[in-house]
Amino acid sequence: MTKYILAIDQGTTSSRALLFDLDGKPVAIKQEEFQQHFPADGWVEHDASEIWDTTLRSCRSVLAELNTTWKNIVSIGITNQRETSVVWDRQTGEPLYRAIVWQDRRTATLCNSLQDRHADEIQQKTGLLLDPYFSATKFKWLLENVPDARKKADAGQLAIGTIDTYLLWKLTNGKSYYTDITNASRTMLFNIKEQSWDIDLLKLFEIPQHILPEIKDCGADYGCTDKSILGGAIPISGVMGDQQAAAFGQCCFEEGEAKSTYGTGGFLLLNTGTNVVYSSNRLLSTIAYRLDGDTYYAIEGSIFMAGATIQWLRDKLQIIQNANESEGLARQVPEDLSVYLVPAFTGLGAPYWDPRARAALYGMTRDTGIPEIVTAGLMSIVYQTKELIDAISADGAKLSQLRVDGGLSANNFVIERLADLLNCKVHRPKITETTALGAAYVAGLQSGVFSSLDEIKGKWQKDVTFEPTKDETWRKTQYTGWKTAVRRTIS
Ligand code: ADP
């Protein structure tokens, strides 16, 4: 009988289940989207029950697709949207309120009020910036606003956690109440140096420690599925937050190795080894992974508008019909194009952090047409990546190699220019489902399918390596043009 690893990839817009063979190759995938709720300005919620239902259905249908059963699943790995916060009843397992999603800004006023006195302490302890993005203020809001939540917490009847904890609870029918260290590191309650829940921060956010889940290594014994779920007891042996899982799936195991995921936004994670690198450029220091008690750290930066810029060109400007078309148009344009699109549609991120800046297009001439504007859109992703890497370098971390993934990484033009501008090799893997792959790798490692990180490294297969082809003059001229455009965009 063929054996598999089941990877659950619970994302922001859909829940997915993938089966990997024991060589680490994906052989089947099922996914289901679920509803996004926007009950007030800046609020974003998911129905946690729908998250569970879509996850369970995806798992069942991916098994059915290969006509296989729980008996052939060696182990399960879970990866999930990070920071999103759920509260549920320990007796019934029912959510008491909708999950508050990472994008939700409802606790902005609270964060502002703590900024002066606590931002530095929070960065020192957690590696994060005091921001509504992370779970701490979402947990606090839930405890204060969900009827009876505090009372239930005091009585030991309440569970609160991130999506990984909620899924573990549901998969084991309430037996497992754990989180992994990468998810814990996004709560803003976890001390990344001491590697435990931080007493001072729990006090600050008024969260009783006894209601929080126990923290485990990424590869660990997370319990077994209840037999009502998939028919039998399958060990759950790996858990990782999505960006960390993508880095793991890209085999960024060592210091200096980085991955950049290009979807709607862009997420760059650089492994900084066994040391925390603190940022003066408002990047995040976080846990890359912990295995057998050995911790690797990472520095993380994000781009607000990556694929979203291409969607804007398609849906608002309507100058392309689909994203794929952009590459052909860019090939028609001279490589020293001096038209720049600064996609500050929702402000500028690292290293400028200017929420009031707005997007602009610079340097147009009578010759400028659709191909030039589309190319400027694509190049904005390249320039923003360079800015992130410059910021990371300024913080003292060093990039040795970059691996890319995500839907937009299929665009060869973008990745070629990325290699040119960064002046380093950029690798794109054969398997671009890197998030689920990371979850499968860590579960496989823990369950003995893979014997070591080296063995996993041997399985990683590149599709293409992009080598730099441009000279220093090109890099300097192009990047200076971009910097000038950004300067003119700052509010
Ligand atoms: P997400 O997971 O955020 O939904 P995906 O990884 O599925 O994103 O990538 C989709 C994004 O990538 C879309 O914003 C789309 O516009 C962009 N995209 C996909 N293919 C291309 C391409 N060939 N060229 C440019 N952009 C692309």
Side-chain angles (χ1 to χ4, degrees):
M1 263 308 189
T2 317
K3 301 277 183 190
Y4 305 98
I5 299 169
L6 172 61
I8 295 174
D9 177 1
Q10 204 303 304
T12 308
T13 56
S14 71
S15 305
R16 300 139 68 88
L18 292 90
L19 286 175
F20 287 84
D21 67 18
L22 299 194
D23 205 32
K25 292 208 177 58
V27 286
I29 174 168
K30 285 286 174 186
Q31 86 179 59
E32 262 193 58
E33 293 197 359
F34 52 84
Q35 211 181 335
Q36 310 288 316
H37 299 270
F38 308 104
D41 189 24
W43 292 32
V44 188
E45 297 178 350
H46 292 157
D47 179 344
S49 299
E50 200 186 354
I51 285 186
W52 167 241
D53 292 342
T54 50
T55 301
L56 181 57
R57 275 200 299 269
S58 302
C59 289
R60 286 180 176 160
S61 55
V62 83
L63 293 185
E65 161 118 342
L66 290 194
N67 213 358
T68 193
T69 72
W70 69 273
K71 290 185 185 140
N72 298 318
I73 308 300
V74 180
S75 60
I76 296 178
I78 299 175
T79 177
N80 57 288
Q81 52 168 321
R82 304 172 301 174
E83 297 106 9
T84 298
S85 304
V86 196
V87 63
W88 67 100
D89 184 301
R90 277 178 169 269
Q91 253 119 50
T92 64
E94 289 303 311
L96 299 172
Y97 188 82
R98 284 207 289 242
I100 304 184
V101 179
W102 54 273
Q103 297 147 326
D104 190 289
R105 308 298 297 173
R106 78 184 64 186
T107 55
T109 313
L110 171 64
C111 288
N112 285 340
S113 72
L114 297 173
Q115 196 68 37
D116 287 349
R117 286 189 54 199
H118 296 285
D120 289 347
E121 175 197 5
I122 285 174
Q123 193 188 20
Q124 274 307 309
K125 285 170 178 278
T126 68
L128 307 175
L129 302 169
L130 174 51
D131 194 274
Y133 190 93
F134 306 105
S135 315
T137 58
K138 301 184 198 291
F139 286 175
K140 181 174 162 70
W141 190 95
L142 288 166
L143 285 172
E144 283 169 5
N145 292 279
V146 174
D148 292 338
R150 266 281 166 221
K151 217 167 73 198
K152 281 201 159 125
D154 292 341
Q157 293 166 355
L158 188 101
I160 199 162
T162 41
I163 295 292
D164 53 316
T165 305
Y166 176 67
L167 290 181
L168 280 167
W169 178 281
K170 297 298 275 185
L171 286 164
T172 60
N173 206 8
K175 288 205 183 66
S176 292
Y177 192 49
Y178 304 121
T179 188
D180 93 292
I181 190 164
T182 64
N183 276 292
S185 77
R186 316 296 296 191
T187 57
M188 210 161 77
L189 297 169
F190 179 78
N191 189 312
I192 53 174
K193 283 223 163 124
E194 290 170 9
Q195 299 183 31
S196 59
W197 298 122
D198 189 275
I199 308 291
D200 300 331
L201 295 180
L202 292 176
K203 219 181 264 162
L204 177 67
F205 294 107
E206 296 174 277
I207 293 160
Q209 179 158 10
H210 77 265
I211 65 170
L212 292 174
E214 182 190 329
I215 302 161
K216 289 188 172 245
D217 282 6
C218 302
D221 174 7
Y222 282 97
C224 287
T225 52
D226 186 82
K227 70 176 189 311
S228 64
I229 306 293
L230 295 169
I234 311 168
I236 305 165
S237 17
V239 178
M240 261 185 178
D242 54 9
Q243 296 308 322
Q244 280 90 341
F248 204 82
Q250 288 270 38
C251 297
C252 298
F253 302 141
E254 305 292 336
E255 183 172 348
E257 296 174 341
K259 70 90 199 177
S260 195
T261 301
Y262 296 106
T264 311
F267 285 93
L268 195 129
L269 216 87
L270 171 78
N271 187 316
T272 58
T274 51
N275 291 316
V276 183
V277 173
Y278 287 102
S279 178
S280 321
N281 291 293
R282 293 175 56 86
L283 303 174
L284 307 174
S285 316
T286 198
I287 306 278
Y289 64 90
R290 188 174 76 190
L291 291 172
D292 295 327
D294 289 336
T295 308
Y296 278 77
Y297 293 90
I299 192 160
E300 176 177 323
S302 52
I303 296 171
F304 301 154
M305 300 282 299
T309 302
I310 312 310
Q311 289 165 14
W312 176 76
L313 294 171
R314 185 193 62 192
D315 302 338
K316 291 291 174 189
L317 283 198
Q318 302 183 352
I319 57 177
I320 50 172
Q321 308 230 299
N322 60 62
N324 290 338
E325 220 181 280
S326 61
E327 182 170 345
L329 289 167
R331 300 271 181 214
Q332 302 170 15
V333 173
E335 291 176 347
D336 56 355
L337 177 71
S338 50
V339 178
Y340 293 91
L341 172 62
V342 182
F345 295 94
T346 56
L348 280 171
Y352 305 102
W353 298 106
D354 180 355
R356 279 188 295 274
R358 286 297 172 261
L361 193 57
Y362 295 96
M364 287 184 287
T365 64
R366 287 287 297 270
D367 269 346
T368 303
I370 288 173
E372 287 76 18
I373 294 172
V374 170
T375 307
L378 293 174
M379 285 303 292
S380 72
I381 298 157
V382 175
Y383 294 126
Q384 290 176 95
T385 306
K386 164 87 172 144
E387 301 229 61
L388 272 187
I389 288 175
D390 283 357
I392 286 175
S393 307
D395 287 331
K398 249 186 87 134
L399 176 89
S400 63
Q401 57 145 301
L402 183 64
R403 295 181 167 184
V404 293
D405 53 73
L408 193 143
S409 71
N411 189 310
N412 288 329
F413 173 83
V414 170
I415 312 303
E416 282 167 23
R417 288 299 160 274
L418 192 59
D420 289 337
L421 191 72
L422 299 180
N423 199 23
C424 80
K425 289 183 188 173
V426 179
H427 311 275
R428 186 173 63 202
K430 274 208 172 114
I431 301 174
T432 49
E433 290 288 351
T434 52
T435 310
L437 182 62
Y441 278 163
V442 73
L445 196 61
Q446 179 68 20
S447 54
V449 173
F450 310 120
S451 60
S452 64
L453 291 180
D454 278 341
E455 186 191 340
I456 292 177
K457 254 190 186 162
K459 300 202 174 294
W460 187 89
Q461 281 187 319
K462 75 165 186 226
D463 168 32
V464 195
T465 293
F466 297 86
E467 307 255 2
T469 59
K470 298 276 187 291
D471 61 15
E472 192 54 34
T473 310
W474 180 87
R475 274 191 286 280
K476 224 172 148 199
T477 314
Q478 296 307 115
Y479 197 45
T480 306
W482 164 261
K483 287 279 197 193
T484 307
V486 171
R487 237 187 343 265
R488 291 157 74 184
T489 310
I490 289 169
S491 68

